[in-house]
Amino acid sequence: MIRIGNGIDVHRFDTEAGDKAIVLGGISIPHTHALLAHSDGDVLTHALMDALLGALGLGDIGQHFPDTVEKYRDVSSMSLLDEVMNKVNDSGWQLGNADITVVAQAPRLSRHIESIKNSLAAGMKVAADLVSVKATTSEGLGFTGRGEGIAVLATVLLTKP
Ligand code: MG
């Protein structure tokens, strides 16, 4: 059996924050701005979790980890990913593969891609070759192109023997 899921997430840059790094897939990356969020703002991991929950037919991360709940303030999204993967594995599913695309004008992500991929694979307890992470700009167009925020699209396939 197979199931597919997709997820998308967008976070805007905090133009006032003193914090000068973003977190993608659990990896901290220096940048001119942080991303605004109730959690650690790991927009990539949020999209991935939404894809996993979508494949399970279990709604979205807003339902499972509401941003109105104080315990999720500044929470590490990788710890939430661990909870989501438990839902996947507890119901007998395994990750077939995940393919993730980050849309960002800046920062340039090419030299961080391998670390992000390895971090996500370790977080999901799967082989690194099951996880694909790609990055693209939007050629200066739209909110990502103007550097106002980052968008991430994630697709996952789950398999059950
Ligand atoms: Mg989010």
Side-chain angles (χ1 to χ4, degrees):
M1 286 195 286
I2 59 171
R3 297 192 74 151
I4 195 165
N6 74 77
I8 180 167
D9 196 28
V10 172
H11 280 248
R12 76 165 65 229
F13 286 117
D14 185 346
T15 50
E16 282 155 28
D19 193 4
K20 303 293 188 197
I22 60 171
V23 179
L24 292 180
I27 300 294
S28 180
I29 297 167
H31 189 47
T32 50
H33 299 98
L35 290 169
L36 261 181
H38 182 77
S39 67
D40 62 359
D42 190 339
V43 58
L44 187 156
T45 303
H46 293 179
L48 175 59
M49 289 191 281
D50 261 353
L52 291 164
L53 289 168
L56 294 173
L58 288 180
D60 60 42
I61 56 170
Q63 293 166 246
H64 292 267
F65 313 112
D67 64 6
T68 50
V69 175
E70 195 52 34
K71 74 168 174 171
Y72 296 125
R73 180 174 296 279
D74 298 327
V75 72
S76 158
S77 298
M78 292 301 285
S79 71
L80 304 182
L81 178 62
D82 187 54
E83 285 187 45
V84 170
M85 278 309 288
N86 285 340
K87 292 181 198 295
V88 170
N89 298 141
D90 290 351
S91 50
W93 293 96
Q94 295 173 346
L95 185 74
N97 73 301
D99 187 24
I100 299 158
T101 303
V102 182
V103 186
Q105 201 67 31
R108 300 296 283 189
L109 296 173
S110 50
R111 67 196 167 94
H112 302 288
I113 291 290
E114 206 58 29
S115 316
I116 294 170
K117 208 171 87 166
N118 290 332
S119 169
L120 291 172
M124 291 191 286
K125 302 180 185 78
V126 301
D129 66 355
L130 300 187
V131 183
S132 158
V133 179
K134 313 190 295 293
T136 184
T137 70
S138 54
E139 296 284 345
L141 299 172
F143 69 88
T144 53
R146 291 188 297 270
E148 295 168 2
I150 291 181
V152 179
L153 300 116
T155 303
V156 302
L157 189 77
L158 300 183
T159 64
K160 194 184 267 192

